[in-house]
Amino acid sequence: MSKKQPATEQHHKEQAAGNLQLGRRGFLHTGLLGAAAARAAWAGPHRPTAEAAAGLRQRGATPIVDLEQPVDPQAVSVETWNDPWVWRPSDWPREQLHLNVVESQNPGVGTIPGNPNPRLFSYGGITPGPTIRMRGDETLAVKLRNLLEKDFGVTFVHEYPDPNELTPDLTLEEVNSKAAEQGNRRDDFCLGEHTNGLHAAHVTNLHTHGLHVSPGENSDGTHSDNIILRVLNQPDYRRRKQESLSPSCVFLRNPEQIYFLTDDEVAGEANYEFRIGNVLGVPGAPHPPGTHWYHPHAHGSTHNQVASGMAGFLIIEGDVDDRINQRMTGSEHPEPTVKSGPFDYRERLMLMQRVSVPSTDPDASRKQEQLRQPPAVLVNGSQQPARILMRPGAVERWRVLNGSVDGKGYRRFMVLNGQYGQAKSGALTKYDPETKEWHDASLSEVERDKLTLYQLAMDGVTLVTGEGDDARYTIKDLALQNPSPNPLATHPIPEEGDRNLPMLENLQAAYRDPTSVRNTYLRPNEVYLAPANRTDVFFKVPVGTAQDTVLTVIGKSVIVHADNPQQMMQQNVASGTDELPMGPGEVIVAYIVVKETGIQEDFDVLSLRDVLPPVPPYLRPLKREQLIDGNGKFRTRTITYSGWGSQDFPLVSTDPSDPSAADFKAFIEQDQAAGGKLEKLRYARNGTDPQGNPIFVLLPPAIRSMAINGRKFDPTDPERPVMLLDSAEEWLLENSSMMLWGDTGSKPPGQWLGHFRGYPISRKDGQDRFFGEGPYAEPDYNFQIVTKGVDHPFHIHQNPCWVLSIEVPDENGNLVNILDEPRWQDVIFIPRNQGRVVFRTLFADYVGTYVNHCHILLHEDNGMMQAIEASPFEDHANYAPKDKLPSDPGSQTDFPRPTPEQAYVQNTRFVDPNRATGQVYPGFVTVAPKYSGS
């Protein structure tokens, strides 16, 4: 998709006319807040006409028309809240839970209640799937049946460019013809192994996200948390038997194989047994209690299936729950969804999920166009916020799961005083019961309206404070979590005029210095949730709340997770448009209507700390001495996430001004001498230089350049990390994904679509040139972000991580730890632009192969996943022995942070080690372009 065209030079001159000096940020801000002349000056040639503005309103691109009727609290007499239905193994001894994977609809409108959007797949036609509640010493038995139809998809392996990012003269027919000539075409039903890229959408399996459980196969042949397993549908299995010798049905790792299934495949169904308990080898030691979930994890189809709503809660109950229940209700085992005890105590399950499915299912049996709908944001499968009734002083426990799987799925979970909604534009609105009107809700208003939350757990682990034998469970009063001003609320957003500018200023203010970064990410009375994060919180309706008051439970949208919002605002400011960038949408979880008389006793939620049980050894924070090996060295490891999406790939060409030109030319000459096998697949002609010589450009790969330690996923990768069983390590995670800045007003030879020459400069340098500040006398609105970075949510299977720091770079690249204290997590977002995370973890109990990966599941399917192995043999371990730890002050020498130039190179290359489907991209040495500052 091509980027919006920048403002013209003439437009810039018009803006500067009349001594308005619109490039200066201070004056711009003043003008936007009140100067009619300033607004008129911005109404240049790129300003929408009245007719165009009307069209935008018709498409729902401008505020404010609220999607919801306001809640009339006096008319609400019953709750409409629904939790997913529950299955307990204890109610069905020696029986299996049957999970049937079915096609929900194709084509047409979805049939799942509460969700009008198209849905491809589900467990038994419902979403979410059944909630599994079990004790920490039980076995969960599941029969997973794949009842899907045939896979009709086609996958191109080896070299293949992104079909949406082809040069103007290169057609998709040419690309596909060339790929077929190279033997790169494979039918999805016969992809018998794990290859990278979206493929085989009708293959599935099952992952228990958060469980400390065996990662492979049980001794009796049942499967545990084996995400390497591929469960085929029966029609594809029959096709393999009929067509196993055809040229399009060649198993990738062993082309001579005549079998119909590989070692990692079963047909039709799979039997699972998740045997939890005996943690750390202690007989009878139960699995710690916590809020977890399950979802499919077949590489290549994970995004499509989870994004269709294939997910459900998996709750382990135990001593923490028993103690809390006893105190709140008088019983250790009350019915969780029924209010009981003097405080109306109950639990609620809240699965927030941004659902995004393609308009067509390329692997469907009927390849017809489905209805294109915008991504839905669902809570427990419904788009309609439920009504909850609570009394003043009532206390509830909420288990919150962010089941979103894409880069726009980051959320800030909170409760707001008042009734909030969402406009068609995506903007947050608030209802005024006095005027009976909705208005745009500012972030300042949100900050004022937040009500107190008490956090019990993160990612299924009760919060822990202290170390070793002094470790204890705790509850956190989130009202005390950094109650400082929010930089994102610095400048108010005007209702009309050029509203993008203060939004852009606020976003830039968020990274101004270390204090600003910390105050942006660490906010009071909210929990920041990356995709796949969970949290358990207590909420108490404030004592004295008036009858018929409406409160809003919300998953607030996030704009600091990636560079997309800043890029969109820059483009809008440069073009003078008043159109606000469309956000990912708010998640209105529920409306609480306060009813009846208050609770007699004003309960102190923090007093529950006194009844919490001891912390089991498995969840005690790891000490330094536990990281030391037999030679007195610390066990450490550095894991680097790198790469860009194809749309964000910078221009790399053979033009002499390109720093990679010489090596690129040599690569092309070598390929041409071999018959030009990679032309149109790895590179293509795109225009000529001033002398008439052809310019070649590097094509972005279809599987993106995203990788871990420079390598894409292969379950048998010989360079996979190997850890010693029952040992602890400290890991340093790095994210080389970064923003690049470029001149969108000048087009170097070879430029096409949004691919510009991108410079790896600091956020401050780029912003200064855009606004004409610092060393720049005049603004340059053409100098914008041309390549975007994203925060990658790292997830590791089997073992939680004791997270010591999450380090976000400020505008000058200085790292800022945004955690106020360490905590256990199994999903941790790694900040972009060379941000870092440091954690410790214990590889306890289980040997075998499992994975870490990005939980933006489109990234995972494209290869941002890494096999890791726990081994009982010390000589197999390949950790890095160090004299210092990444968490030690002054450890930069031992653990150097990549420079922006080094990160640029990391992002432009990868190795796909799959023996039959892999590639080495790009095949030559790339060099970061140097920025001259002019």
Side-chain angles (χ1 to χ4, degrees):
M1 181 181 296
S2 61
K3 293 179 171 62
K4 183 181 293 184
Q5 292 300 313
T8 64
E9 181 179 356
Q10 178 61 32
H11 181 44
H12 293 161
K13 292 179 180 178
E14 291 173 1
Q15 291 170 350
N19 297 318
L20 289 175
Q21 298 296 317
L22 291 180
R24 292 298 182 185
R25 179 183 299 159
F27 188 85
L28 271 171
H29 180 56
T30 303
L32 286 172
L33 292 182
R39 285 197 295 269
W42 271 93
H46 292 274
R47 187 78 173 181
T49 64
E51 292 78 13
L56 290 174
R57 284 192 292 271
Q58 290 173 3
R59 294 196 300 272
T62 55
I64 297 171
V65 179
D66 201 84
L67 294 179
E68 300 216 40
Q69 293 295 322
V71 174
D72 179 1
Q74 295 182 346
V76 177
S77 59
V78 295
E79 288 196 351
T80 60
W81 179 267
N82 284 305
D83 285 304
W85 72 279
V86 177
W87 193 87
R88 291 181 178 272
S90 58
D91 291 339
W92 298 88
R94 298 178 300 280
E95 296 289 339
Q96 295 173 306
L97 169 64
H98 289 197
L99 291 178
N100 295 326
V101 180
V102 299
E103 296 182 52
S104 294
Q105 58 79 36
N106 185 46
V109 178
T111 58
I112 294 174
N115 176 25
N117 290 59
R119 308 289 289 220
L120 300 183
F121 317 114
S122 69
Y123 292 120
I126 63 171
T127 185
T131 294
I132 300 168
R133 282 185 176 265
M134 58 188 296
R135 302 292 294 185
D137 56 358
E138 293 183 304
T139 294
L140 171 64
V142 177
K143 180 179 287 293
L144 180 72
R145 287 195 178 98
N146 186 345
L147 302 182
L148 300 177
E149 254 294 340
K150 300 175 182 178
D151 269 320
F152 280 86
V154 172
T155 295
F156 287 95
V157 298
H158 298 292
E159 294 81 10
Y160 189 77
D162 189 308
N164 298 312
E165 300 300 315
L166 302 181
T167 55
D169 296 330
L170 184 60
T171 67
L172 186 58
E173 289 75 17
E174 290 179 286
V175 170
N176 288 342
S177 175
K178 188 65 174 285
E181 289 176 11
Q182 305 298 326
N184 291 359
R185 184 188 189 280
R186 294 288 188 272
D187 289 326
D188 277 0
F189 82 92
C190 243
L191 278 171
E193 293 86 5
H194 298 271
T195 186
N196 293 307
L198 288 175
H199 66 278
H202 291 202
V203 174
T204 193
N205 64 15
L206 185 63
H207 168 50
T208 51
H209 184 129
L211 287 196
H212 177 59
V213 67
S214 173
E217 190 174 291
N218 299 315
S219 58
D220 63 354
T222 58
H223 295 277
S224 186
D225 195 46
N226 181 8
I227 62 98
I228 307 300
L229 181 70
R230 304 176 81 242
V231 183
L232 275 65
N233 57 72
Q234 288 284 9
D236 280 349
Y237 176 59
R238 290 194 295 269
R239 291 169 71 196
R240 281 193 184 183
K241 295 173 71 174
Q242 296 167 358
E243 305 178 33
S244 61
L245 299 181
S246 73
S248 65
C249 191
V250 179
F251 287 168
L252 300 175
R253 295 185 183 280
N254 184 0
E256 305 301 324
Q257 186 170 336
I258 308 300
Y259 305 107
F260 306 125
L261 295 172
T262 69
D263 293 339
D264 297 328
E265 293 179 322
V266 295
E269 63 183 32
N271 293 309
Y272 287 85
E273 283 197 8
F274 302 98
R275 301 167 181 175
I276 62 176
N278 300 331
V279 178
L280 287 177
V282 180
H287 190 292
T291 302
H292 307 296
W293 61 308
Y294 64 90
H295 59 78
H297 209 301
H299 189 56
S301 66
T302 309
H303 169 85
N304 281 339
Q305 293 187 3
V306 183
S308 289
M310 287 179 62
F313 279 97
L314 203 173
I315 296 172
I316 307 299
E317 299 174 323
D319 53 2
V320 172
D321 313 295
D322 297 345
R323 300 284 186 91
I324 293 172
N325 291 339
Q326 181 67 43
R327 173 67 182 89
M328 299 303 294
T329 72
S331 170
E332 288 189 348
H333 307 296
E335 171 54 47
T337 61
V338 176
K339 296 178 183 179
S340 59
F343 311 107
D344 288 356
Y345 181 75
R346 62 159 292 178
E347 292 186 11
R348 295 186 197 269
L349 307 184
M350 299 178 176
L351 170 51
M352 302 183 296
Q353 187 176 39
R354 174 182 157 87
V355 177
S356 178
V357 295
S359 60
T360 58
D361 172 9
D363 294 323
S365 57
R366 291 167 291 175
K367 300 177 74 174
Q368 301 179 39
E369 189 74 13
Q370 297 180 26
L371 294 178
R372 168 67 79 173
Q373 298 279 356
V377 182
L378 309 180
V379 177
N380 293 350
S382 175
Q383 287 183 280
Q384 298 301 317
R387 278 54 168 163
I388 294 173
L389 299 182
M390 294 183 71
R391 294 194 290 164
V395 179
E396 296 188 350
R397 174 182 178 175
W398 299 341
R399 298 179 185 261
V400 183
L401 162 60
N402 183 7
S404 299
V405 300
D406 68 342
K408 295 182 179 180
Y410 285 78
R411 299 288 163 196
R412 298 176 184 266
F413 183 82
M414 61 187 74
V415 182
L416 300 176
N417 185 22
Q419 184 175 169
Y420 282 76
Q422 181 176 282
K424 289 183 178 180
S425 67
L428 187 67
T429 57
K430 186 179 180 182
Y431 183 71
D432 186 337
E434 298 296 327
T435 65
K436 301 187 183 306
E437 292 182 350
W438 295 90
H439 64 266
D440 273 334
S442 68
L443 278 178
S444 298
E445 194 169 10
V446 169
E447 291 288 341
R448 290 193 301 269
D449 281 345
K450 286 193 291 188
L451 299 175
T452 300
L453 288 173
Y454 302 89
Q455 188 177 20
L456 174 67
M458 186 71 180
D459 282 357
V461 180
T462 305
L463 299 182
V464 175
T465 185
E467 289 189 347
D469 295 337
D470 296 327
R472 64 186 186 280
Y473 286 136
T474 189
I475 298 169
K476 188 174 183 179
D477 182 351
L478 294 181
L480 306 178
Q481 182 175 266
N482 191 27
S484 302
N486 187 349
L488 291 173
T490 302
H491 302 103
I493 311 300
E495 292 185 3
E496 59 183 25
D498 297 290
R499 291 174 289 177
N500 288 281
L501 184 71
M503 292 179 68
L504 180 58
E505 289 188 307
N506 290 345
L507 188 54
Q508 293 180 174
Y511 297 96
R512 185 76 66 225
D513 50 45
T515 300
S516 299
V517 171
R518 187 173 175 83
N519 290 346
T520 297
Y521 283 85
L522 189 64
R523 304 300 312 147
N525 285 321
E526 66 177 52
V527 184
Y528 191 98
L529 298 174
N533 275 144
R534 292 90 68 208
T535 189
D536 289 39
V537 297
F538 294 108
F539 176 68
K540 182 178 80 171
V541 176
V543 174
T545 302
Q547 171 100 343
D548 293 330
T549 297
V550 178
L551 314 177
T552 306
V553 186
I554 184 174
K556 183 78 183 67
S557 62
V558 172
I559 63 171
V560 293
H561 66 290
D563 297 322
N564 306 60
Q566 185 170 357
Q567 183 193 57
M568 294 172 66
M569 293 175 206
Q570 286 177 344
Q571 293 172 352
N572 286 353
V573 167
S575 64
T577 181
D578 191 39
E579 177 186 346
L580 293 173
M582 291 289 288
E586 312 293 348
V587 183
I588 308 298
V589 177
Y591 291 115
I592 298 173
V593 178
V594 180
K595 286 286 188 179
E596 303 178 17
T597 58
I599 302 296
Q600 293 295 318
E601 178 184 347
D602 185 5
F603 182 73
D604 180 8
V605 176
L606 294 180
S607 67
L608 289 172
R609 292 170 175 169
D610 300 332
V611 305
L612 296 176
V615 179
Y618 177 63
L619 293 180
R620 292 173 185 168
L622 296 163
K623 297 181 178 180
R624 290 174 61 87
E625 52 265 31
Q626 292 176 266
L627 307 171
I628 300 175
D629 67 10
N631 297 316
K633 301 287 187 179
F634 291 112
R635 298 185 184 91
T636 69
R637 202 176 296 270
T638 299
I639 304 292
T640 302
Y641 278 45
S642 63
W644 289 304
S646 298
Q647 181 183 356
D648 290 297
F649 211 82
L651 175 65
V652 178
S653 74
T654 57
D655 179 71
S657 65
D658 193 307
S660 301
D663 289 310
F664 192 10
K665 283 182 178 179
F667 169 78
I668 292 174
E669 290 171 359
Q670 183 179 15
D671 180 66
Q672 291 292 324
K677 294 182 178 180
L678 298 181
E679 186 174 0
K680 302 178 182 178
L681 299 179
R682 181 72 60 80
Y683 62 90
R685 300 168 188 258
N686 188 32
T688 58
D689 64 15
Q691 289 72 41
N693 300 312
I695 295 293
F696 289 89
V697 295
L698 180 65
L699 295 173
I703 57 173
R704 310 186 175 196
S705 63
M706 294 170 181
I708 302 177
N709 286 355
R711 299 172 73 82
K712 287 188 175 287
F713 177 64
D714 181 353
T716 63
D717 189 352
E719 295 189 20
R720 64 188 179 277
V722 180
M723 299 78 62
L724 178 64
L725 179 66
D726 292 331
S727 72
E729 296 184 1
E730 184 167 296
W731 285 24
L732 169 63
L733 306 179
E734 298 175 332
N735 183 355
S736 290
S737 172
M738 64 190 303
M739 65 167 58
L740 301 178
W741 295 75
D743 185 357
T744 62
S746 64
K747 297 185 177 181
Q751 193 278 325
W752 88 103
L753 294 181
H755 304 287
F756 291 87
R757 189 163 297 161
Y759 297 94
I761 60 177
S762 72
R763 183 189 293 270
K764 185 178 190 313
D765 286 343
Q767 292 168 173
D768 281 353
R769 177 164 171 178
F770 182 85
F771 275 112
E773 297 187 342
Y776 304 98
E778 297 293 335
D780 184 354
Y781 301 115
N782 285 324
F783 196 77
Q784 303 173 1
I785 297 172
V786 294
T787 291
K788 306 178 293 292
V790 65
D791 298 346
H792 291 295
F794 165 96
H795 171 49
I796 189 169
H797 290 201
Q798 317 317 128
N799 303 293
C801 310
W802 182 245
V803 185
L804 301 174
S805 64
I806 300 176
E807 300 170 20
V808 178
D810 68 8
E811 66 177 20
N812 293 301
N814 302 311
L815 294 175
V816 185
N817 179 19
I818 62 168
L819 284 185
D820 54 350
E821 56 190 352
R823 64 189 183 196
W824 290 105
Q825 293 182 230
D826 61 41
V827 176
I828 319 142
F829 76 90
I830 319 173
R832 62 198 182 280
N833 296 318
Q834 295 88 64
R836 309 192 325 166
V837 167
V838 178
F839 69 78
R840 297 172 182 174
T841 191
L842 175 65
F843 300 96
D845 295 322
Y846 304 113
V847 299
T849 299
Y850 41 105
V851 295
N852 74 80
H853 64 89
C854 179
H855 223 286
I856 297 175
L857 294 182
L858 188 63
H859 297 179
E860 180 272 318
D861 281 332
N862 278 297
M864 191 170 258
M865 182 160 69
Q866 180 185 50
I868 59 178
E869 179 185 353
S871 171
F873 305 110
E874 188 167 4
D875 59 342
H876 288 185
N878 58 7
Y879 60 87
K882 296 282 188 176
D883 292 322
K884 287 186 177 181
L885 291 169
S887 58
D888 288 343
S891 64
Q892 285 287 328
T893 302
D894 295 80
F895 303 92
R897 188 177 170 209
T899 66
E901 292 75 19
Q902 291 170 334
Y904 176 98
V905 173
Q906 290 174 342
N907 291 321
T908 57
R909 67 185 185 188
F910 63 82
V911 174
D912 186 342
N914 284 280
R915 291 194 297 270
T917 67
Q919 57 177 304
V920 178
Y921 181 94
F924 60 93
V925 178
T926 54
V927 180
K930 292 191 180 297
Y931 177 61
S932 65
S934 61

